Amino acid sequence: MQTLGNFKLPNFFNYPPYFTLQPVRDTREKQVQLWKELILDYCRTQKIFVIALDEEFPLFSNPVIESIAGSLNHEARQAFLSALVSEGRAEWMHKGHRKCLILWHRIQDWADSIVQFVKDNGLEDTVMTVEEIRSGVESRGTELHGIDRTILMRALKLLENKGKLVIFKGSSADDEGIKFSL
Amino acid sequence: MKRRPGIGGLQTAAAARNQYRILGENVAKIRTDLMKEQLATFRSQLEDFARKHKNDIRKNPTFRSQFHEMCAKVGVDPLASNKGFWAEMLGIGDFYYELGVQIVEICLATRPHNGGLINLQELCSLLGQKRKTAREAVSEDDCLRAISKLKVLGSGFEVISVGKKKLVRSVPTELNKDHNEILEVAQGQGYVTLEEVQRRLSWSAGRATDALETLLKASSCKSIGLFFFLFSSTEGLAMIDDGHSDGKRRYWFPCISSISSYVGS
């Protein structure tokens, strides 16, 4: 089985027609389904949060398959990501659909992880910065470590709306503070 | 024999005919009895044999296939019913029914990928993976036997030969001769192009396009069996691949590619 780093690639990845968007509806549905699962799996294990459509992405081409056959064209990439978007597992970051935020955890699930993280570390009534959650000592070894800032802010906003925390402008201009009140 | 006139002559002739008839019946009866006796001996020998080699029959696929052949010659079908001496003694009926169910499962699971047509070899190896825990080895011959038993359930299952390969069809698709020939051409590389089909089979562009499009589109459900609902599928048997610098579209057939060891999760 072919691997990408420590990631095991599924068998269909070696079958050239999976790199061409299929014209027959049912065949395409199956194809899209397989690609959706692959993209989510890969991003989850590799902690990838953003896929740019026009940039190199390991999954979008298979060097084992000759020439351009093993490479997804723009239309196919867009189709697979759009399928994820329509399921709430991804979001276009701009109107132009150039970059896509991959939600291998939904925002709600990320919010739950934050709550769990706060409880595990006894931070219920303390103040932290956003940057501390992303890269601080406390979050090391948890899924929150290295989380995409956009996704983190979305999850925090969700919790703020529920009254579980307050976001405020911190001392440094580019960071924000969080006051938990769980 | 010169016929003598008079009533006495007629009576003699009738008596002679009667004698001939009785003699004939006796001969026939003796022959039938002899045959019956022989067949009974055959059967009892076969039963002895089966009893003696019970374990071999169950565990060794080659032995099993030879045993089936022998049974067929004497007119015994060990799979005819799940009751009776054969099934009870060998448990061989259960073995094939179980195999049949597993074959159905595999065909269903791989259908999204191969459109309902699967290479017999691949089916066998998938069956082997599925039965890892079972002790008995399974041969292609066993698969074919189990599939032949599935036929009674409807028009779903059939084994077709394409070139040197055997394919198991689990959707009621009607593959015509043209489709078969294309699959045969595709066996070399796993795919064909329109040009290749035209060249190798000396077809017109129209004929080749038509056949390829049919294979690509869908399996039309022409006959309805018990499996209709399970197997009414619209996935095609081919997938296209446009990513080539020569601009020629390649038609791939998952049912004959070895890479199709993919099974839906």
Side-chain angles (χ1 to χ4, degrees):
Chain A
M1 191 173 291
Q2 202 184 340
T3 58
L4 209 61
N6 58 357
F7 185 78
K8 273 190 186 164
L9 288 161
N11 286 334
F12 84 82
F13 198 71
N14 284 327
Y15 201 54
Y18 278 99
F19 285 82
T20 298
L21 203 57
Q22 294 301 308
V24 178
R25 202 193 71 215
D26 283 50
T27 317
R28 184 171 63 232
E29 271 171 19
K30 182 65 196 173
Q31 180 192 24
V32 169
Q33 181 63 34
L34 288 170
W35 274 101
K36 277 192 311 199
E37 286 165 14
L38 175 61
I39 292 170
L40 282 183
D41 266 359
Y42 183 74
C43 289
R44 185 184 299 117
T45 54
Q46 309 299 311
K47 288 195 156 248
I48 291 167
F49 295 92
V50 177
I51 296 178
L53 245 66
D54 300 322
E55 287 167 27
E56 286 280 313
F57 186 63
L59 288 184
F60 288 163
S61 58
N62 185 355
V64 172
I65 302 174
E66 48 164 318
S67 68
I68 53 167
S71 178
L72 287 175
N73 64 19
H74 191 272
E75 186 197 6
R77 295 174 191 204
Q78 178 136 0
F80 300 153
L81 291 175
S82 293
L84 282 174
V85 169
S86 70
E87 265 179 24
R89 302 315 297 263
E91 279 173 26
W92 294 113
M93 295 172 78
H94 311 285
K95 279 209 180 109
H97 291 192
R98 296 245 166 267
K99 279 186 171 181
C100 197
L101 202 59
I102 307 297
L103 299 171
W104 30 273
H105 284 332
R106 293 163 199 274
I107 296 294
Q108 178 59 53
D109 298 334
W110 281 116
D112 291 345
S113 317
I114 294 171
V115 170
Q116 194 58 47
F117 163 74
V118 169
K119 283 182 179 163
D120 288 349
N121 290 280
L123 300 165
E124 280 95 337
D125 293 307
T126 53
V127 174
M128 277 184 100
T129 68
V130 171
E131 216 35 58
E132 271 177 319
I133 299 179
R134 291 188 63 218
S135 51
V137 185
E138 289 89 350
S139 70
R140 203 165 287 168
T142 71
E143 280 192 321
L144 293 175
H145 200 80
I147 183 178
D148 177 79
R149 196 179 168 91
T150 316
I151 294 177
L152 179 58
M153 288 313 293
R154 295 273 302 280
L156 289 170
K157 290 248 165 62
L158 187 74
L159 289 171
E160 188 178 40
N161 289 341
K162 289 183 178 171
K164 303 206 169 183
L165 55 81
V166 180
I167 304 174
F168 57 90
K169 268 268 165 258
S171 49
S172 71
D174 58 344
D175 202 6
E176 281 152 304
I178 312 292
K179 168 87 172 75
F180 295 111
S181 53
L182 287 169
Chain B
M1 181 171 73
K2 201 179 172 208
R3 223 174 83 178
R4 280 171 294 164
I7 204 145
L10 287 175
Q11 276 169 343
T12 315
R17 267 202 303 279
N18 210 22
Q19 287 296 316
Y20 283 131
R21 190 177 52 79
I22 291 166
L23 189 68
E25 274 172 7
N26 274 338
V27 171
K29 191 174 178 302
I30 289 165
R31 282 211 182 137
T32 323
D33 285 351
L34 199 69
M35 288 286 276
K36 272 185 188 160
E37 208 181 292
Q38 273 180 353
L39 209 57
T41 320
F42 268 138
R43 282 188 189 221
S44 81
Q45 297 258 337
L46 199 60
E47 285 177 13
D48 282 344
F49 179 85
R51 215 173 267 127
K52 221 168 158 185
H53 298 282
K54 194 170 158 180
N55 282 336
D56 286 324
I57 292 170
R58 284 166 96 159
K59 294 216 176 100
N60 182 342
T62 322
F63 199 91
R64 187 159 56 233
S65 126
Q66 282 164 353
F67 176 71
H68 274 298
E69 232 168 77
M70 211 158 72
C71 286
K73 278 185 188 144
V74 200
V76 172
D77 182 4
L79 298 181
S81 138
N82 205 21
K83 295 195 179 65
F85 170 80
W86 294 99
E88 271 165 35
M89 197 192 68
L90 295 171
I92 209 164
D94 285 336
F95 171 75
Y96 285 102
Y97 297 134
E98 192 184 300
L99 224 53
V101 172
Q102 285 167 337
I103 287 172
V104 172
E105 284 173 355
I106 290 171
C107 287
L108 263 182
T110 55
R111 200 190 62 193
H113 177 68
N114 57 32
L117 204 56
I118 188 170
N119 190 346
L120 179 63
Q121 252 176 352
E122 195 187 328
L123 177 64
C124 258
S125 80
L126 289 174
L127 202 55
Q129 284 169 29
K130 207 180 177 75
R131 297 173 57 87
K132 232 179 276 164
T133 47
R135 290 155 301 151
E136 306 99 340
V138 177
S139 68
E140 287 187 12
D141 182 74
D142 291 327
C143 280
L144 292 175
R145 267 173 221 289
I147 292 163
S148 76
K149 293 297 147 189
L150 288 176
K151 269 189 199 154
V152 298
L153 293 174
S155 62
F157 278 85
E158 204 181 359
V159 179
I160 54 174
S161 295
V162 174
K164 275 173 260 162
K165 281 188 181 160
K166 280 200 172 74
L167 301 179
V168 179
R169 200 189 67 176
S170 63
V171 283
T173 323
E174 305 271 324
L175 284 183
N176 64 25
K177 197 165 158 288
D178 280 8
H179 302 149
N180 259 324
E181 285 183 56
I182 289 179
L183 285 176
E184 212 173 323
V185 173
Q187 271 178 23
Q189 298 166 290
Y191 67 86
V192 293
T193 61
L194 182 64
E195 288 77 7
E196 208 177 345
V197 170
Q198 283 178 251
R199 200 185 61 240
R200 295 266 299 270
L201 301 171
S202 315
W203 287 359
S204 69
R207 183 177 176 187
T209 311
D210 196 51
L212 284 171
E213 285 301 305
T214 312
L215 284 168
L216 187 63
K217 286 235 173 62
S219 29
S220 48
C221 297
K222 285 186 182 154
S223 42
I224 297 178
L226 176 67
F227 280 120
F228 176 73
F229 291 106
L230 281 177
F231 290 105
S232 60
S233 101
T234 46
E235 286 110 351
L237 293 171
M239 291 179 83
I240 58 157
D241 170 15
D242 284 337
H244 295 274
S245 42
D246 58 8
K248 285 176 184 156
R249 173 172 283 188
R250 294 181 180 182
Y251 293 80
W252 289 81
F253 299 93
C255 56
I256 51 171
S257 300
S258 56
I259 195 97
S260 64
S261 52
Y262 162 79
V263 186
S265 47

